[in-house]
Amino acid sequence: MRRWKDPHNNFGVLWTAATRNFTVEWRTEQSFEKYDGDDEDGSIQADLDSGELVMFDSSIRVLDHYGKEIAADYLGASVYKSGEVLKFIHDGYFMDMLNMACLGAREHYQKRPVLRPAA
């Protein structure tokens, strides 16, 4: 039971958006862990081992203009057919992660101390 690096998908930074002050990026990394989700008959693990399915971990990070991470959201063990990793964007998880990361960035800046001018 050995899984090979998936040649049909790209991993790394797959999506990015930039504004004047922020960069948001979606990064994926192929996961070689044993599948721990619902798999009563073992077919998902068998398809992962054969390469028909691929499992990956995702992160959406919000970076400030210095490249420092100010907020992020993570999701592990997503399973898709080999070659169809980009369908993740359209399946709802991507938008949920994006919303959570952007909410974290807003909270980060709301907690920031405000400097007042000297009197």
Side-chain angles (χ1 to χ4, degrees), residues 42-54:
S43 62
I44 294 174
Q45 185 63 52
D47 287 346
L48 285 167
D49 293 336
S50 72
E52 187 172 329
L53 294 176
V54 62

Side-chain angles (χ1 to χ4, degrees), residues 26-98:
W26 171 45
R27 176 181 293 273
T28 60
E29 291 184 29
Q30 188 173 1
S31 176
F32 297 99
E33 302 294 320
K34 182 172 173 40
Y35 182 70
D36 63 355
D38 293 334
D39 188 18
E40 293 177 11
D41 63 356
S43 62
I44 294 174
Q45 185 63 52
D47 287 346
L48 285 167
D49 293 336
S50 72
E52 187 172 329
L53 294 176
V54 62
M55 184 166 56
F56 60 94
D57 301 328
S58 295
S59 66
I60 291 189
R61 303 180 337 141
V62 179
L63 310 170
D64 66 12
H65 60 279
Y66 297 111
K68 180 183 173 200
E69 180 180 302
I70 58 172
D73 195 37
Y74 302 93
L75 180 64
S78 297
V79 176
Y80 283 79
K81 283 188 176 182
S82 182
E84 297 182 356
V85 168
L86 291 177
K87 285 188 174 184
F88 181 85
I89 290 177
H90 303 290
D91 287 346
Y93 299 113
F94 177 81
M95 287 305 296
D96 291 344
M97 291 177 66
L98 184 61

